Amino acid sequence: MEATGELDQYTGPLLDAAVTDALDAAAAAGELVLDVSGVHFCDSGGLNTLIRTHLRARDAGAVLRLVSPTAQVAGLFRRTGGDRLLLR
């Protein structure tokens, strides 16, 4: 999967819907890969969406793997400790 643009409280539900559609395939593959290289802005609402996605993937038997975070997204993860959960 690929996310682009802004990830916040307004766009998070769009990602939630896309994840719902992808969870069966992710469970079969054992991982859900989300390319966030196109996300130029992420706030606490977006971070909450990503944590929720992590938990949903885990509950489905898959691991969420975020790839290529932008500097803004990686910085948010570092400041909040989200990097320990979301970036491996």
Side-chain angles (χ1 to χ4, degrees):
M1 296 181 62
E2 182 179 0
T4 61
E6 297 182 0
L7 186 53
D8 55 25
Q9 67 180 354
Y10 302 107
T11 59
L14 299 172
L15 180 59
D16 284 334
V19 166
T20 297
D21 292 341
L23 275 179
D24 286 340
E31 70 177 353
L32 174 62
V33 178
L34 179 59
D35 180 346
V36 291
S37 63
V39 175
H40 58 83
F41 175 79
C42 182
D43 65 6
S44 61
L47 180 61
N48 284 330
T49 298
L50 293 172
I51 291 170
R52 199 169 44 249
T53 300
H54 162 76
L55 295 172
R56 291 176 64 202
R58 185 192 66 195
D59 290 347
V63 173
L64 173 64
R65 188 165 60 93
L66 297 179
V67 295
S68 303
T70 60
Q72 192 274 329
V73 172
L76 174 66
F77 290 171
R78 277 191 308 278
R79 288 188 304 279
T80 61
D83 55 341
R84 292 185 300 262
L85 178 66
L86 298 170
L87 298 177
R88 300 173 198 214

